[in-house]
């Protein structure tokens, strides 16, 4: 039995992991999915990692799954605890010494996103509806529940300080991207993963939140990674 540690992204709580957590528990595993202190002005990445480490306690056989902005926290957990596997799920990949707020320009996100939007026929400077941008492949009832009750105010604090590790932690790492995500376009994510981790991304269907739209397939992907160790 493994313990899956699910690290959520910015401006949200851990609710969105629910369908995936149910799939993993159904396969006999433990799941730890803590809420991170995104509304706490005093909390930076160190405090985010503290919260995850505290939630893990003395559990071991850890598989850390970091999503979106959780990509800055997941590796910090791996640096502090013995982790068997880190999965970067549609996640921002940090670089040593780079503040999360610098990630957007450093990776060329803006031009890459503009090009992806142009190919989709999105007018320049148009503000896209969240359902279209983030949740177009999510079941409507789950998308509505997420938007109505599980968005959180995100402080700027964890975006300011440089990412503290000097190198990527010594842990087997996989990158899994959702090909239908319009917020982090697939072509952009493939490039950043190759440049920053030196590995090729695996791909699955889904939007920015594939754990809601494709929890069974995501669980199967994670289990395949784990059993291949």
């Amino acid at each position: 039995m493994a313990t899956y540690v699910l690290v959520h992204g910015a401006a949200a709580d851990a609710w969105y992991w629910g369908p995936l957590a149910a799939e993993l528990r159904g396969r006999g595993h433990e799941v730890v999915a803590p809420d991170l202190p995104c509304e706490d002005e005093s909390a930076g990445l160190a405090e985010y990692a503290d919260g995850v480490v505290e939630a893990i306690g003395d559990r071991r056989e850890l598989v850390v799954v970091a999503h979106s902005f959780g990509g800055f926290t997941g590796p910090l957990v791996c640096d502090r605890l013995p982790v068997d596997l880190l999965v970067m799920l549609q996640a921002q990949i940090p670089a040593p010494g780079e503040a999360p707020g610098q990630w957007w320009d450093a990776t060329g996100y803006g031009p890459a996103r503009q090009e992806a939007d142009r190919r989709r026929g999105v007018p320049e400077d148009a503000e896209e509806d969240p359902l279209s941008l983030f949740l177009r492949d999510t079941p409507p009832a789950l998308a509505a529940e997420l938007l109505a009750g599980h968005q959180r105010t995100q402080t700027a604090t964890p975006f300011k300080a440089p990412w503290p590790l000097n190198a990527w932690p010594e842990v087997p790492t996989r990158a899994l991207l959702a090909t239908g995500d319009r917020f982090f376009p697939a072509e952009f994510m493939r490039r950043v993963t190759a440049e920053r981790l030196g590995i090729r991304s695996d791909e699955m269907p889904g939007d920015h939140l594939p754990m809601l739209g494709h929890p069974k397939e995501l669980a199967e992907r994670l289990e395949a990674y784990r059993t291949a160790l």
Side-chain angles (χ1 to χ4, degrees), residues 37 42-53 72-73 76-77 80 158 161-162 164:
S42 68
L45 291 178
E47 287 72 29
Y48 283 40
D50 287 344
V52 179
V53 169
F72 290 97
T73 300
L76 302 183
V77 175
R80 292 172 54 177

Side-chain angles (χ1 to χ4, degrees), residues 73-91:
T73 300
L76 302 183
V77 175
C78 297
D79 189 58
R80 292 172 54 177
L81 293 176
V83 172
D84 294 338
L85 174 67
L86 170 62
V87 180
M88 301 290 281
L89 174 64
Q90 207 63 7

